[in-house]
């Protein structure tokens, strides 16, 4: 007698398989994010080697981020259709090509930009892992599981800590060779060991039709806004905080970079905490509390009080709140979105988060250039966070009630 479809997911969830799949997905996500972020630490080196202007240097760093963010939309939809077991090894293997090209062949601005364009592929793995992990875990444990998967964003910190040091200690191409080798090993391991959840729902329709339908879902727009503020805020501080600490407090480059690394590590560590809290209570109150905290701490930062203890408290507090909010957003995705559409929605939401990090640094730089002061930049951040908290407490809460009643 054949096993009933209803029993297969229950038996699968009772085995250690979900934990193994989560570990494999997180490792792949971290490695691909490491590759995705290889150019950023080498920005000053490339500027000197290729005689780049400040705008050209910014463009070199921005291209992989933009491509990786927007590329999550089709990659998420493809993952819904063909599964992460195929997508993870394919994307990891294809990312090896631009990594090696940038490490050994690219020696002009045009070539670096071309390599950076394809390097953006590594940033799309976020939209592969979220639906994969979501399918393996029951609703009451998805927040924590997705938060743990989100630790893979720490691959950007790995790049920041190691790329320049390895390039100087061994050879300029060595960081690229190391990452390429690790990606090759992971692509093989993923092909052999990754398994999509038995009986997972596969959506019907073309890629374009499914993407259009996803964009029309009210939950997609709401979740994209929430993640644009949460993860976008994290990205913005990761990029701009060294400049701010140098300008506002006169810190040296190494000291500012070290403090920024602390900000990044704390925010990454708080993602699973936000997911865990969302499992225990509900994502909505977690998000309201997190955005309210960001708003209050942004106001504190606007006064430019002494860095010890007030400035440090403000920035680390915002790191914790933004990290927790990022984890809670995807706990909310698991509650609002049908399983067969999680990849498509994650692609759109992830793109919003990645792109959301570009606007705050531009605003802060513009305000500082015009007023020689950062106060209004932080006031705008506080207003944005406060408005997002209010939006969560009203519109998003109503949406979750409708989903619960459906």
């Amino acid at each position: 007698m054949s096993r009933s479809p209803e029993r297969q997911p229950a038996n699968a969830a009772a085995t250690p398989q979900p934990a193994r799949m989560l570990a494999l997905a997180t490792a792949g996500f971290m490695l691909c994010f490491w590759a995705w972020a290889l150019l950023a630490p080498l920005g000053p080196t490339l500027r000197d080697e290729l005689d780049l202007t400040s705008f050209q240097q910014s463009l070199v760093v921005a291209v992989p981020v933009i491509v990786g963010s927007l590329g999550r939309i089709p990659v998420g939809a493809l993952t819904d259709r063909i599964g992460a077991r195929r997508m993870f090894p394919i994307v990891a293997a294809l990312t090896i090509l631009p990594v090696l090209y940038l490490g050994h062949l690219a020696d002009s601005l045009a070539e670096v930009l071309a390599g950076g364009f394809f390097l953006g592929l590594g940033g799309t793995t976020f939209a592969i892992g979220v639906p994969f992990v979501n399918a393996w875990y029951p609703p009451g444990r998805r927040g924590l599981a997705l938060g743990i998967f989100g630790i893979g964003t720490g691959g950007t910190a790995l790049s920041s800590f190691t790329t320049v040091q390895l390039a100087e200690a061994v050879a300029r191409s060595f960081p690229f060779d190391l990452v390429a080798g690790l990606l090759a090993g992971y692509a093989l391991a993923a092909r052999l060991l990754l398994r999509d959840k038995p009986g997972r729902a596969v959506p019907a329709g073309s890629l374009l039709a499914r993407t259009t339908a996803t964009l029309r879902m009210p939950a997609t727009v709401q979740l994209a806004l929430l993640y644009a503020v949460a993860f976008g805020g994290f990205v913005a501080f990761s990029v701009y905080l060294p400049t701010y600490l140098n300008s506002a407090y006169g810190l040296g480059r190494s000291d500012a970079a070290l403090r920024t690394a602390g900000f990044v590590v704390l925010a990454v560590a708080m993602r699973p905490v936000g997911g865990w809290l969302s499992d225990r209570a509900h994502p909505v109150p977690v998000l309201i509390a997190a955005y309210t905290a960001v708003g209050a701490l942004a106001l504190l930062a606007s006064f430019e009080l002494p860095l010890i203890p007030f400035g440090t408290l403000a920035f680390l507090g915002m790191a914790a709140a933004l990290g927790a909010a990022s984890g809670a957003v995807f706990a909310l995705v698991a509650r609002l979105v049908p399983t067969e559409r999680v990849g498509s929605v994650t692609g759109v939401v992830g793109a919003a988060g990645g792109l959301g990090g570009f606007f705050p640094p531009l605003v802060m730089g513009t305000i500082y250039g015009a007023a020689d002061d950062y106060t209004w930049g932080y006031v705008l951040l506080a207003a944005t966070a406060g408005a997002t908290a209010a939006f969560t407490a009203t519109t998003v809460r109503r949406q979750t009630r409708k989903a619960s009643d459906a």
Side-chain angles (χ1 to χ4, degrees), residues 45 50 61 64 73 89 107 149 178-180 200 244 255 260 314 328 390 395:
T45 302
L50 304 178
V61 174
I73 298 175
D107 58 4
F149 172 75
L178 174 62
V179 172
R200 73 180 185 89
Y244 171 76
D255 192 7
T260 302
T395 304

Side-chain angles (χ1 to χ4, degrees), residues 213-243:
T214 297
L215 292 171
R216 289 176 177 171
M217 293 171 58
T220 303
V221 178
Q222 294 169 13
L223 291 163
L225 174 62
L226 297 181
Y227 201 57
V229 176
F231 188 69
F234 161 73
V235 172
F237 274 109
S238 301
V239 171
Y240 199 72
L241 192 55
T243 300

Side-chain angles (χ1 to χ4, degrees), residues 307-324:
L307 190 59
I308 305 295
F310 299 107
T312 300
L313 173 66
F315 294 122
L316 292 183
M318 282 191 283
L322 291 169

Side-chain angles (χ1 to χ4, degrees), residues 32 35 79 83 157 171 206 227 242 293 336 338 350 364 371 403-404:
C32 289
T79 302
S206 67
Y227 201 57
L336 293 181
M364 293 290 279
S404 299

Side-chain angles (χ1 to χ4, degrees), residues 170-396:
V170 184
R172 186 189 179 284
S173 63
F174 182 74
F176 298 88
D177 294 335
L178 174 62
V179 172
L182 292 172
L183 285 172
Y186 177 76
L188 178 61
R191 187 70 186 91
L192 295 174
L193 301 176
L194 274 184
R195 296 290 183 272
D196 288 307
K197 178 70 180 289
R200 73 180 185 89
V202 179
S206 67
L207 176 63
L208 179 60
R210 286 184 288 119
T211 301
T212 302
T214 297
L215 292 171
R216 289 176 177 171
M217 293 171 58
T220 303
V221 178
Q222 294 169 13
L223 291 163
L225 174 62
L226 297 181
Y227 201 57
V229 176
F231 188 69
F234 161 73
V235 172
F237 274 109
S238 301
V239 171
Y240 199 72
L241 192 55
T243 300
Y244 171 76
L245 292 175
N246 177 264
S247 300
Y249 291 99
L251 298 185
R253 287 186 180 182
S254 60
D255 192 7
L258 186 62
R259 292 173 190 269
T260 302
F263 180 98
V264 170
V265 169
L266 178 58
V268 169
M270 285 298 293
R271 284 186 75 122
V273 176
W276 177 79
L277 289 172
S278 298
D279 287 341
R280 292 299 179 272
H282 192 279
V284 167
V286 175
L287 288 167
I288 293 171
Y291 291 127
T292 301
V294 171
L297 292 168
L299 283 177
L300 178 63
S302 71
F303 292 104
E304 291 190 11
L305 299 171
L307 190 59
I308 305 295
F310 299 107
T312 300
L313 173 66
F315 294 122
L316 292 183
M318 282 191 283
L322 291 169
S326 298
V329 168
F330 280 93
L332 191 58
V333 169
R335 291 176 183 256
L336 293 181
V337 180
T339 302
E340 69 273 13
R341 289 192 175 185
V342 168
S344 298
V345 172
T346 296
V348 176
V349 174
L355 295 176
F358 280 100
F359 297 104
L362 294 175
V363 171
M364 293 290 279
T366 301
I367 289 175
Y368 185 75
D372 197 29
D373 186 76
Y374 288 104
T375 298
W376 286 108
Y378 284 108
V379 170
L380 286 173
L381 173 59
T384 301
T388 308
F391 177 74
T392 306
T394 53
T395 304
V396 175

